Amino acid sequence: MRTLVSLSLAVCLGGCLDYVPYDPDTGKTFIALQKDFQNFKSWESYLVGSDAVAGTGGHPAGQRTVYINRLPPHGSTHFPVGTMIVKVRDEGPGLEPENHAMVKRGGDFNAKGAVGWEWFDIDFVDGDPEATVIWRGLTPPVGHGYRTMGGETATNATTGDCNSCHAAASDNDFVMDSHLVLKDL
Ligand code: HEC
């Protein structure tokens, strides 16, 4: 485990914001590695819709699909540590689909936002079949907010901040999609 942790820390140097290392005392955190995302398109998935979501830096129009690595046990009040959810937004020909993810990392990670969740942007760079983690952490780095229609990216870190919108679903453990409402699962 120690090797894996130092490896992911080394990969993150220079790129990751507010990276909190694995806590061996609690043992209750899950640090997703790039390899954990590789086959996300084979996970349970839901077609979410294609209308734009209102709000500063929100989700512009484009077909959206949500993938989850495993559904929580019936009756759960939270998504278990280790839950990985990816949302793909496909604006159609000419633009690479945008893949955003949230992973239940646990502990007190992101304590002031979507508690326990880490945010990700993953990409298949230049058509590479391997998914690459572009950024991870508490908030998108400058220039990496949600892409607006036509491929522009938000120019500051506040626009498209993941925690702000997802706070609206704090009673569903910060998960917004209507297919993933805990009390209905
Ligand atoms: C303007 C509001 C808004 C912002 C900002 C936002 N989201 Fe979302 N997100 C939503 C909504 C609404 C859904 C439900 C699915 C849908 O309608 O697209 C959602 C769904 C998701 C999902 C699928 C799991 C779920 O909660 O349903 C992921 C993963 C996700 N968003 C990641 C992100 C990331 C990463 C960021 C920051 C880069 C972000 N979101 C910022 C509104 C937002």
Side-chain angles (χ1 to χ4, degrees), residues 96-113:
E96 291 293 320
E98 203 171 41
N99 314 296
H100 279 127
M102 58 199 293
V103 173
K104 191 42 115 47
R105 184 173 163 136
D108 57 3
F109 189 79
N110 201 1
K112 293 186 182 147

Side-chain angles (χ1 to χ4, degrees), residues 48-49 51 53-59 64-67 85-87 99-102 118-121 135 139-140 144-146 158-166 169 174-178 180:
V48 178
D51 294 341
V53 175
T56 312
H59 297 213
R64 303 190 297 284
T65 312
V66 166
Y67 300 84
I85 312 178
V86 180
K87 175 167 137 176
N99 314 296
H100 279 127
M102 58 199 293
E118 182 173 14
W119 303 108
F120 291 77
D121 184 6
W135 59 260
T139 183
H144 283 269
Y146 268 40
T158 328
T159 315
D161 167 53
C162 321
N163 290 310
S164 57
C165 255
H166 282 253
F174 304 97
V175 172
M176 308 275 268
D177 181 15
S178 58
L180 296 176

